[in-house]
Amino acid sequence: MERRIFFRDFRLRVSIGIHDFEKEGPQTVVVNVDLGLAPADKAHGDRIGNVLNYDVVHDGIMALAGSRHFNLQETLVDAILDLCLAQPGVIEARVSTEKPDVYKDCRVGYEAARRK
């Protein structure tokens, strides 16, 4: 059985960008995360201790987003991938970021995936 946990359209304020105007303050970044989980070695029994607590991932991404200035979306995505793959039971992760306010006619983003 394949198991996944995902976060869709996670909107964060992040200090990100290489341009001077981007360094003046945080901008909106939309994050999407898809986590592939290892096969369960035991039934979850309706207990949080037997599954990935996605609060840890959510709160970790929020803390990471506010931790420093990121020049590149690529750097932010790599840091989120590291966080996700450090969680027990996560065997693969796909992360994308979008900066919806950079251009008026489109959203620009970056996506990467990694396996343990």
Side-chain angles (χ1 to χ4, degrees):
M1 173 171 68
E2 186 173 306
R3 304 177 314 131
R4 304 193 93 64
I5 289 178
F6 59 87
F7 297 81
R8 299 284 184 263
D9 302 324
F10 188 4
R11 297 181 78 79
L12 298 163
R13 299 291 291 168
V14 181
S15 178
I16 190 166
I18 60 168
H19 301 291
D20 289 340
F21 72 89
E22 292 179 302
K23 294 178 182 179
E24 292 175 5
Q27 61 184 294
T28 299
V29 173
V30 180
V31 177
N32 288 289
V33 176
D34 188 18
L35 305 176
L37 304 176
D41 59 351
K42 60 183 169 186
H44 60 73
D46 204 25
R47 296 178 189 269
I48 189 69
N50 295 338
V51 297
L52 174 63
N53 182 347
Y54 45 79
D55 288 344
V56 173
V57 177
H58 175 273
D59 295 350
I61 293 170
M62 283 185 59
L64 189 59
S67 68
R68 67 183 191 92
H69 178 82
F70 294 89
N71 286 326
L72 303 173
Q73 290 190 71
E74 290 84 346
T75 307
L76 176 59
V77 166
D78 284 344
I80 295 171
L81 283 168
D82 290 343
L83 169 78
C84 292
L85 290 169
Q87 303 310 309
V90 175
I91 59 172
E92 65 179 12
R94 177 176 300 277
V95 175
S96 68
T97 57
E98 295 177 14
K99 292 165 61 175
D101 302 326
V102 171
Y103 301 113
K104 293 180 193 252
D105 57 354
C106 68
R107 298 180 312 196
V108 62
Y110 176 75
E111 179 177 77
R114 199 184 311 151
R115 291 185 63 87
K116 271 190 181 173

